[in-house]
Amino acid sequence: MPQLVLELNGQRRTLEPGRSYSIGRDPQSDVAVDDARVSWRHATIAYHGNGWVMEDLGSTNGTFANGHRANQVQLGQGTVVNLGNAESGPRLSFAGLPSPVAPVGGDAWHDQGTARFNPGAQSAAQAGYVQQQPQQAQQAPQWEQQYSGGGGAAVPPQQGGGYAPQPSQPAPEPVYGSRNPTMVRNLAGGLRTIRIGRGLDNELVVSDLSVSRHHAELRQLQDGRYEIVDLESHNGTYLNGQPISRQLLGPNDIVGVGHSTFRLVGDQLEEFVDTGEVSFSARHLLVKVQHKGTEKILLNNVSFGVPEKSLVAVIGPSGSGKSTLLRALTGYRPADNGDVLYDGRNLYKQFAELRQRIGLVPQDDILHSQLTVRTALKYAAELRFPGDTEASERARRVDEVLTELHLEKRADNRITALSGGQRKRVSVALELLTKPSLIFLDEPTSGLDPGMDRDVMKMLRGLADEGRTILVVTHSVAELALCDRLLVMAPGGAVAYFGPPKEALHFFGYETWADVFQAFENYPDHDWAGRFRGSVHYQMYSADVEAVQAQSVQIQHEQSKPPKQQSWGSQLSTLIRRYFTVIGADKGFVGLLIALPLIMGAMSLALGTSAGLVGTGDPQKPNSDAGTLLLVIAVGVVLTGAANSVRELIKERVIYERERAVGLSRSAYMMSKVIVLGLITALQSIVLSVIGILPNKLPAHGLVFSSSPLPEMVIVFTLLGIVSMLLGLVVSAVVKTAEKTMPLLVLLAILQVVFCGVLVKLTQPGVAQLVWLVPSRWAVAAVASTIDLAHIGDPAHADDPLWKHTLTQWSVDTGALVLLGVVCAVLVVRLLRRHEPEVMRQR
């Protein structure tokens, strides 16, 4: 069995077969390399029977041979390996011995048992390490015989190793941490067109519900090159993280289809399936905002790396940037500087594709609590999966998630009947529908008792163990021991600690977390981040991440269009059915919807008017009650319509934010509200206006309908109700809390009363134009035009130009009312943009 000579920084070491040699930043490694880009336990070298092999141990920054990252590297004569960086990382060169003969002078290092290449020993010692000084090696003899082969060639794909190309061809960039491809298909001499999709009739079947039945085609052109063509898939086809419709493929291009990525290597097509076991890291995140004319930093150079299948907790006092960090990590509010890396892929630059791999559970529930668990998940599945998925496929996935989270016995219970911990499980279940690899949770245990707190954290621990990476922001410190890593944020948005939870209190030198948080408050000027960077924990768990400079300094974040998960009409249909189901599940609300127009109509009847809505026959006695009756009906319709919608968007804001991030159409969401609330409001307005108008004497004919003015009066009041409903949606989109909607509703009603044109004369220049923005002004004017109120009513309003008894004026009044409604609808759509991930807002 041959020996191997390793050289680093001019020092050599002869490695003997029969044992494994460790390489890393740990001073106790066989080959200790004091470079921040090298992981604490970076790699091993061992003889495996057919040759010497270096195996990467899942290092953060990687192991590189011939400039390309690999998990396993065949070592031999002339092999060169770089650690942490392909160009500037610590350089290890290897040479093989022709026979197991010790070098001249013996193997002094082997006798010592460890080799220490540590030019930066002083800095490590300052960090608190006890470290031996490196010993000088004896010079190895010059080689008399050169071996061919093994010159840095990586090991071919095999179980447990990463893909590395043959030396005769250029190596492509790594995919998923340089893992082995899940499948390799030889394209030479085969089909010129390969269809990719979920259906079994495709040449390449991808068993993923997020993939359309016929998703994309890989086509070979006459010149031998390949192009990828999207077949109008619902979730899109991505090239290097960007959505495409048709694109030529280059040698290092990566095609994304659902949870799978494909890469061409010569005449072979490699598939890599994202099974959830991915690494995740943040590097040099900086978030700053302008506050009262000064710049305020919310996140200050935050860096940390999360290994696969781990549970990470983020804690810190109020104002330490935890929520800002969560938004930066998920792409909702990208950092101003820095990178977020999903298994080495830049989340900000490839957000369009990678956002489908990320689940986010906000602090507030993201479900309609009136629905049962199964029904809520059923509608969520309809919205998140392509429109060509069968109902049975969606139902099967819902059942799988319910079983995984032990919710099958609660599946038919209404969400409002569940405990706090069970409701949080349902929110997590919703995110698990699409099998995300990363799940972020914001305060999932807030408001829960200690028992439920433990239950939720154990659930998260189980999800991590099953192959996902979980990051949870929490105020609770009772169950931190269940986590793999703990990130402590200090005031000012800096990292005060990152490492194992069990070592955190000892690191701070306190016995309880209350003491730690009190210290943050008592010593606001203390450099907590500097203290951490000078510690052993920084060297062990963060230095290798922070050593790599951010690639995206001053990134110009691109606006990213949401994936078209379903056709617009399909989304609209699902949203309308879900909305009717939500309303129908609340019997009390349905009763109120029925009672409200009846009560309002009865109030108008109580006024009573002997002349009805016609003239009194005596020019000296105008019918002043007619205008008052129209005012009461108009205000009743306005209140009914606005009350239906004024809380509708604010109460669903968290739900909308999340659904929008995974592909919900903004206009479809808006139209579902308009159609459902518009239909309800229209029925209410018809009932209310008919009750108020029909018992009164009416003119013989109207301007539009010669038989009776009633239909055109009802049409106008129905339009007023719908416009008021849209105005209520504007209020709901503007306010930040539901409590602010009621005062604004009252103000809205008062404006309709004062400026409808009955109580106050509105013909003065300036005032007349300003009140054009009040819907009741146009509605009352249109009805006044129908019954000729300018002549039968109060003489003070006889010169109102909007009350002219002509078909043209009625059409103008009605048209202005419709225009106000359109303006309100457009305004709501624009306001909804504020509640979307910043990186995906369209200009």
Side-chain angles (χ1 to χ4, degrees), residues 13-283:
R13 162 99 187 256
T14 301
L15 309 182
E16 295 284 353
R19 59 163 297 193
S20 176
Y21 296 84
S22 60
I23 302 175
R25 211 171 63 253
D26 184 354
Q28 302 304 315
S29 299
D30 294 306
V31 182
V33 186
D34 187 18
D35 188 297
R37 293 168 294 184
V38 178
S39 293
W40 192 253
R41 297 176 180 85
H42 195 102
T44 60
I45 299 175
Y47 187 81
H48 289 313
N50 58 351
W52 287 91
V53 175
M54 174 182 285
E55 183 172 357
D56 188 275
L57 297 178
S59 63
T60 301
N61 297 321
T63 300
F64 298 84
N66 290 338
H68 299 282
R69 186 168 181 168
N71 273 0
Q72 290 186 340
V73 180
Q74 184 82 38
L75 303 178
Q77 178 66 28
T79 304
V80 175
V81 175
N82 290 83
L83 305 179
N85 186 280
E87 298 178 356
S88 60
R91 184 176 185 270
L92 283 67
S93 59
F94 298 88
L97 288 171
S99 61
V101 178
V104 176
D107 185 0
W109 283 352
H110 182 68
D111 294 339
Q112 294 295 328
T114 58
R116 309 240 182 254
F117 301 109
N118 205 339
Q122 183 178 0
S123 62
Q126 291 173 349
Y129 292 112
V130 178
Q131 179 175 313
Q132 301 176 8
Q133 295 298 317
Q135 303 180 28
Q136 182 63 38
Q138 299 292 333
Q139 181 69 29
Q142 298 294 323
W143 308 117
E144 298 179 358
Q145 178 180 357
Q146 300 294 328
Y147 283 86
S148 61
V155 177
Q158 56 182 314
Q159 185 67 29
Y163 175 84
Q166 298 299 321
S168 60
Q169 66 184 43
E173 293 298 318
V175 176
Y176 293 129
S178 222
R179 295 186 178 93
N180 281 330
T182 308
M183 178 278 298
V184 178
R185 176 170 182 150
N186 191 356
L187 303 180
L191 296 173
R192 298 187 64 87
T193 298
I194 296 178
R195 191 169 60 191
I196 305 171
R198 195 180 75 254
L200 297 179
D201 57 339
N202 295 283
E203 287 74 34
L204 205 162
V205 179
V206 179
S207 300
D208 183 351
L209 286 184
S210 64
V211 175
S212 296
R213 193 167 297 280
H214 298 139
H215 196 102
E217 285 184 350
L218 180 68
R219 300 173 182 172
Q220 186 178 25
L221 306 180
Q222 294 296 329
D223 58 6
R225 293 182 299 171
Y226 288 88
E227 69 173 358
I228 186 71
V229 180
D230 182 74
L231 300 179
E232 297 185 357
S233 62
H234 294 298
N235 284 338
T237 302
Y238 298 87
L239 184 67
N240 301 324
Q242 302 303 318
I244 56 95
S245 56
R246 178 189 295 263
Q247 190 71 39
L248 284 173
L249 295 182
N252 289 325
D253 285 340
I254 297 175
V255 177
V257 174
H259 285 76
S260 296
T261 53
F262 300 89
R263 178 177 64 186
L264 277 174
V265 180
D267 288 328
Q268 289 186 330
L269 179 66
E270 299 177 345
E271 178 184 9
F272 298 81
V273 178
D274 184 350
T275 59
E277 298 181 4
V278 298
S279 62
F280 184 76
S281 62
R283 292 174 174 172

Side-chain angles (χ1 to χ4, degrees), residues 580-621:
F580 273 123
T581 304
V582 169
I583 292 174
D586 191 341
K587 306 303 182 186
F589 182 64
V590 172
L592 182 61
L593 292 178
I594 296 173
L596 188 61
L598 298 176
I599 295 172
M600 291 287 186
M603 290 174 58
S604 63
L605 283 177
L607 288 174
T609 170
S610 57
L613 295 175
V614 296
T616 60
D618 185 352
Q620 303 300 320
K621 295 181 179 180

Side-chain angles (χ1 to χ4, degrees), residues 66 102 145 181 192 244 328 399 415 490 508 570 591 606 612 651 654 657 669 705 709 739 771 813 816:
N66 290 338
Q145 178 180 357
R192 298 187 64 87
I244 56 95
D399 289 338
I415 297 175
F508 287 107
S570 178
K651 75 179 184 182
V654 177
E657 287 181 5
Y669 178 78
F705 299 94
E739 290 74 17
V771 298
D813 295 339

Side-chain angles (χ1 to χ4, degrees), residues 477 504-506 508-519:
V477 297
L505 287 175
H506 178 72
F508 287 107
Y510 292 98
E511 295 183 358
T512 67
W513 283 108
D515 295 330
V516 175
F517 283 20
Q518 190 68 44

Side-chain angles (χ1 to χ4, degrees), residues 397-415:
R397 180 57 190 155
V398 168
D399 289 338
E400 290 173 358
V401 171
L402 289 173
T403 301
E404 183 176 3
L405 293 179
H406 308 291
L407 287 169
E408 60 270 28
K409 295 182 179 179
R410 307 286 183 181
D412 297 320
N413 291 3
R414 288 179 59 173
I415 297 175

Side-chain angles (χ1 to χ4, degrees), residues 493-724:
V495 177
Y497 173 83
F498 182 72
K502 63 182 179 180
E503 301 174 16
L505 287 175
H506 178 72
F507 169 83
F508 287 107
Y510 292 98
E511 295 183 358
T512 67
W513 283 108
D515 295 330
V516 175
F517 283 20
Q518 190 68 44
F520 286 146
E521 183 177 349
N522 293 340
Y523 306 103
D525 297 327
H526 182 70
D527 186 9
W528 297 100
R531 180 177 183 272
F532 172 62
R533 288 193 177 92
S535 69
V536 176
H537 290 85
Y538 172 79
Q539 291 292 328
M540 294 178 65
Y541 303 109
S542 291
D544 53 340
V545 175
E546 193 160 291
V548 179
Q549 292 300 313
Q551 305 168 5
S552 54
V553 177
Q554 296 294 342
I555 282 183
Q556 296 297 320
H557 300 298
E558 300 178 359
Q559 304 299 321
S560 177
K561 187 177 180 180
K564 184 186 64 175
Q565 293 200 334
Q566 292 184 29
S567 67
W568 188 87
S570 178
Q571 285 196 7
L572 179 62
S573 172
T574 300
L575 290 169
I576 289 175
R577 287 185 289 107
R578 182 178 71 175
Y579 197 12
F580 273 123
T581 304
V582 169
I583 292 174
D586 191 341
K587 306 303 182 186
F589 182 64
V590 172
L592 182 61
L593 292 178
I594 296 173
L596 188 61
L598 298 176
I599 295 172
M600 291 287 186
M603 290 174 58
S604 63
L605 283 177
L607 288 174
T609 170
S610 57
L613 295 175
V614 296
T616 60
D618 185 352
Q620 303 300 320
K621 295 181 179 180
N623 185 357
S624 57
D625 292 336
T628 304
L629 178 61
L630 297 183
L631 168 64
V632 172
I633 296 175
V635 172
V637 168
V638 167
L639 278 174
T640 300
N644 287 341
S645 62
V646 76
R647 297 172 63 93
E648 199 58 39
L649 299 182
I650 184 64
K651 75 179 184 182
E652 289 189 357
R653 183 159 296 174
V654 177
I655 299 175
Y656 172 75
E657 287 181 5
R658 185 64 197 128
E659 291 184 342
R660 175 65 174 157
V662 295
L664 178 68
S665 166
R666 184 194 307 144
S667 58
Y669 178 78
M670 170 62 185
M671 282 304 301
S672 70
K673 298 297 181 187
V674 172
I675 291 174
V676 175
L677 292 176
L679 180 60
I680 293 173
T681 302
L683 292 174
Q684 291 176 314
S685 299
I686 291 172
V687 171
L688 193 160
S689 56
V690 168
I691 292 176
I693 296 172
L694 195 56
N696 295 281
K697 186 177 180 180
L698 301 175
H701 57 81
L703 296 171
V704 180
F705 299 94
S706 57
S707 58
S708 171
L710 179 63
E712 62 193 74
M713 295 172 71
V714 172
I715 289 174
V716 170
F717 282 127
T718 301
L719 285 175
L720 176 61
I722 294 173
V723 173
S724 300

